Amino acid sequence: MAKKISDTTAKDDDEGIIPALQTFFKSSTTQYIAGLTIMVFVIYTGTAMVSYLFTGAADQSQVEGLSLFASGRFGGIDNWTGARGAILSHLLMNKWFGISNFFLLLFLIFLSLRLMKARYFHLFRDFVICSALTIWTSVALTFFFGRLFHDTVFPIGGAHGIVMKNWLEFNLGIPGTFLFLLLTLIIVLTLISSKTIPFLMRLTAKKEKSEEEDNDKNEDDLDRQSSEPKKKHWWQRTPKGDDDEDDEDAPEELLDHKPKVLTVPSIDTETTFVPKTNLDDFEVKIATGDEEETIVPTTIPITTTAKLPDSDKESEELLRELGPFDPTADLSHYQFPLLDFLKRYDSNDTVVNMEEQNENKNRIITTLGHYSIPIKSITATVGPTITLYEIVPEDGIKISKIKNLEDDIAMSLRATGIRIIAPMPGKGTIGIEVPNKDAKIVSMYSILASKKYQESHFELPIALGKTITNEVFMVDLAKMPHLLVAGATGQGKSVGLNAAITSLLYKKHPAELKFVLVDPKMVEFSIYSAIEKHFLATLPDAEKAIITDFTKVIATLNSLTTEMDDRYKLLEKAGSRNVKEYNEKFINRRLNPMKGHRFMPYIVVIIDEFGDLIMTAGKEIELPIARIAQKARAVGMHMIIATQRPTTNIITGTIKANFPARVAFRVTSAIDSRTILDSGGANQLIGRGDLLFSQGSDLTRVQCAFVDTPEVEKISQFIGSQQGYPTTYQLPEPVLESGSGGSGGIGSAESGAAGIDDLDPMFEESARLIVIHQQGSTSLIQRKFAIGYNRAGRIMDNLEKAGIVGPTQGSKPREVYIQDEAGLERILQSMK
């Protein structure tokens, strides 16, 4: 017994010490102090090494053969950093890698800045590169310049360079050593930049092409003298001086603009980022009779070349010569967020409590036995928050009889709420979902680090969480194609939206994905403002990247419909059915950027509180959303809308018809559940991220992954600290429909109200009456205010001109466009 207690105490001590050490070393204060210490050491060592270049000869006799920790008095040390600095610099410069040691100090600077959270670096990659540069330059400097520094105080490449150079010359000879150094240089440069190999391939291809052209010239010299040389299109030539005779066939109007149009990167230079502001500075004019048509370049960054495809043959030549177009080349050094930013929870691994499972199993069997329902078998599947018990009843038992016992089973199990699935889809069993006593947290780290997520090939992967069977649950937004999220306040909607955004940020490059974030609450999406130059799309004149003003929401949605129509026109010109086919053609250089073609990133529109927008702006919000939801899938535009008011006047039939994929968090009533999912069940969830996912007729219960605000902030700051585009992704100017108040909404109401004269004294009271009752009836005004029909009819006509009600619909009441009194007051104020 004593031994058992002793072992337990020792185990408790170990369990207490290890977490304490982990907490200490993970502390931001500890890491900052460590980074600051390393930075001071780098400055001290660098100063000592620089001083050694000038004072090393004088100090050599003093420090030769001494270790760094040698004790005793040293006389006449000239090094700027004292005796320890003299010994350290002598060790590094003479015994190690010579001047190449500065690359090691460079890595220590990266490590220091990373620990102090000043900049983020990929430490393993940087360590490999700095180590490779240190070793290679040590040997190369000794090989090429060793004889020049033979009599100096230290070998230029250190003792390591001398040993490796002598060994290579002995085994390979001087020519072999030179070739070996050349080969290893190419390998090191490949580690530094992925453009090294493509650059060498282009050089090789050009050299081979030149040799072939010379051979053809020698063989066919007589024939070519009697024939006209084949002229290239003017836009295929590399720009030359103003006296270039080859440009005589180009249109004069285009020659006037040639210096600006043709200053895009040529095939002889490395592709670089072309800022949007530069592209907007010029325009190309084409004369068409007496008028001129202006072609304004696209507002997206386009990295192109002086040669542009005009046929399939020329496209193939460009593809062979330049390689596929790389949409990520503008931000080629972009680094995806690290998994270290996400918090790990100790409760990630589900532990089966056999005592709880056996107790619940026996209670289910007993409860069913009370109602004469025998069962053949019962099995349990334990999830992070829910356990699924699958029972097989005896033959002849009606399923409806078991479903009616839902409340009785819940009372027997003393559970907060259970859900019965009868029958289980694809199985001959009945499922009873029972909440676990100890719910486990599903961390975002466990989802994104999973093999399923890492190896997924979804276009727009959204990792929601884990199912009851502890499997990672993922969906492809590109195939859904839109997602409706609803649930009561505080049940996990905002966390679910953050999980969706995070899973996309970890998979997509800024060139491939753009977000339009609408946040009527003004606080939910503010943490993403740091990534505006990378991932966010806005109107050209937008002051903030996160849209919070409902008037800006209307303009942005109209702009998105314009973008959708523009993309469809480009797809039609390219002969493509969807954005994926179109981008493949553009990448393979089969589409000409000078004809308006461009690489199209996916656009994901996320609205956090859709209900508030519907109440404020009504039809002006719903109509463009419906248009985008109906048509935008093929052009790579997708929507995620969330609401905490799952009522029929918010989630209308139009919205439900165009959002087949839905996520329901816990709601308060079965009516709300049927409004979201067209079936019950959401009212039986336990909250805190417990959700039902519906796509079609199947319902999947998922525990949403938890990603906290500090984790999202780290991800946003990491992305924001990297090089981004000069501005946000610019959406086109919205095309706003003009007309009378009959078009509906607040914007039209303000324009229509300006033309109303001689308002009836009862106008304002009538307007309030109509908005309160949400019934646009002339007889209602006549009855409530005891006025004649003609006067009530004139008031109703003025209400229509003001945009408060819609036009007549026969015998039906007019549609009321304003949902609340706050919106009505704004209209009334604008009319005064």
Side-chain angles (χ1 to χ4, degrees), residues 1-19:
M1 184 69 181
K3 181 179 180 181
K4 183 177 180 180
I5 295 175
S6 176
D7 294 342
T8 305
T9 304
K11 183 178 180 180
D12 293 341
D13 292 340
D14 292 340
E15 291 178 353
I17 294 174
I18 294 176

Side-chain angles (χ1 to χ4, degrees), residues 15 121 126 136 143 207 213 282 358 396 442 502 551 627 684 686 692 741 756 795 816:
E15 291 178 353
F121 295 96
D126 294 338
W136 187 87
F143 178 76
K207 184 176 180 181
E213 290 177 352
F282 67 85
N358 291 329
V442 177
T502 301
T551 57
R627 277 204 68 204
Q684 297 167 323
I686 62 174
L692 287 174
I756 300 177
I795 293 175
V816 181

Side-chain angles (χ1 to χ4, degrees), residues 262-567:
L262 294 178
T263 51
V264 292
S266 67
I267 58 174
D268 297 323
T269 61
E270 187 176 350
T271 304
T272 56
F273 175 68
V274 183
K276 294 179 237 182
T277 51
N278 292 345
L279 285 172
D280 292 335
D281 289 339
F282 67 85
E283 58 184 25
V284 181
K285 295 182 180 179
I286 300 178
T288 56
D290 297 332
E291 299 179 352
E292 288 184 345
E293 178 187 1
T294 302
I295 302 177
V296 182
T298 178
T299 57
I300 324 180
I302 291 183
T303 305
T304 182
T305 57
K307 290 188 176 182
L308 299 172
D310 193 41
S311 64
D312 291 341
K313 184 177 180 181
E314 292 178 359
S315 300
E316 293 175 1
E317 292 178 357
L318 285 176
L319 187 62
R320 284 195 301 268
E321 186 174 357
L322 304 177
F325 171 78
D326 184 10
T328 66
D330 298 335
L331 299 181
S332 58
H333 297 291
Y334 174 79
Q335 296 182 10
F336 286 89
L338 308 176
L339 289 175
D340 295 340
F341 298 146
L342 301 173
K343 188 175 180 180
R344 309 185 192 187
Y345 294 92
D346 296 334
S347 59
N348 278 340
D349 297 331
T350 302
V351 179
V352 179
N353 187 340
M354 293 306 300
E355 182 180 353
E356 178 186 351
Q357 305 309 319
N358 291 329
E359 183 180 349
N360 288 341
K361 180 185 70 174
N362 293 332
R363 286 179 176 175
I364 292 174
I365 295 174
T366 301
T367 303
L368 294 177
H370 289 162
Y371 295 93
S372 302
I373 302 177
I375 62 174
K376 293 180 180 178
S377 63
I378 180 170
T379 58
T381 304
V382 183
T385 57
I386 300 294
T387 297
L388 172 65
Y389 296 91
E390 295 185 58
I391 63 174
V392 180
E394 293 286 352
D395 297 336
I397 301 298
K398 292 183 177 181
I399 294 177
S400 59
K401 190 175 182 180
I402 299 177
K403 291 192 69 174
N404 294 334
L405 298 176
E406 187 171 321
D407 294 335
D408 300 276
I409 296 174
M411 184 178 69
S412 172
L413 296 174
R414 299 178 179 85
T416 55
I418 69 169
R419 178 169 168 261
I420 295 180
I421 310 170
M424 293 283 293
K427 299 181 180 181
T429 61
I430 297 174
I432 303 176
E433 295 176 345
V434 181
N436 296 334
K437 291 181 180 179
D438 297 323
K440 309 298 181 184
I441 297 177
V442 177
S443 67
M444 199 67 196
Y445 176 87
S446 65
I447 302 298
L448 301 188
S450 65
K451 182 178 180 181
K452 184 174 182 179
Y453 177 83
Q454 294 292 334
E455 297 181 356
S456 69
H457 297 287
F458 290 165
E459 291 296 323
L460 295 173
I462 293 181
L464 288 177
K466 288 186 178 181
T467 62
I468 293 178
T469 57
N470 276 302
E471 295 179 356
V472 174
F473 185 78
M474 289 181 56
V475 291
D476 189 357
L477 183 60
K479 295 180 180 179
M480 292 164 69
H482 311 288
L483 180 63
L484 172 64
V485 182
T489 303
Q491 302 304 318
K493 294 187 306 301
S494 296
V495 173
L497 293 178
N498 285 334
I501 295 174
T502 301
S503 56
L504 291 172
L505 291 178
Y506 270 82
K507 270 289 186 181
K508 307 302 289 185
H509 189 277
E512 302 170 327
L513 174 66
K514 302 297 176 184
F515 289 104
V516 175
L517 300 181
V518 179
D519 183 16
K521 297 179 183 177
M522 302 184 185
V523 293
E524 295 294 343
F525 290 152
S526 58
I527 52 180
Y528 296 106
S529 58
I531 64 173
E532 60 176 324
K533 298 294 182 62
H534 300 80
F535 282 101
L536 299 190
T538 61
L539 293 173
D541 59 344
E543 297 178 0
K544 296 186 295 184
I546 311 298
I547 306 166
T548 57
D549 186 359
F550 78 93
T551 57
K552 295 291 185 182
V553 176
I554 297 171
T556 303
L557 291 176
N558 287 321
S559 175
L560 288 169
T561 58
T562 304
E563 172 76 8
M564 176 183 70
D565 294 336
D566 292 344
R567 289 189 172 202

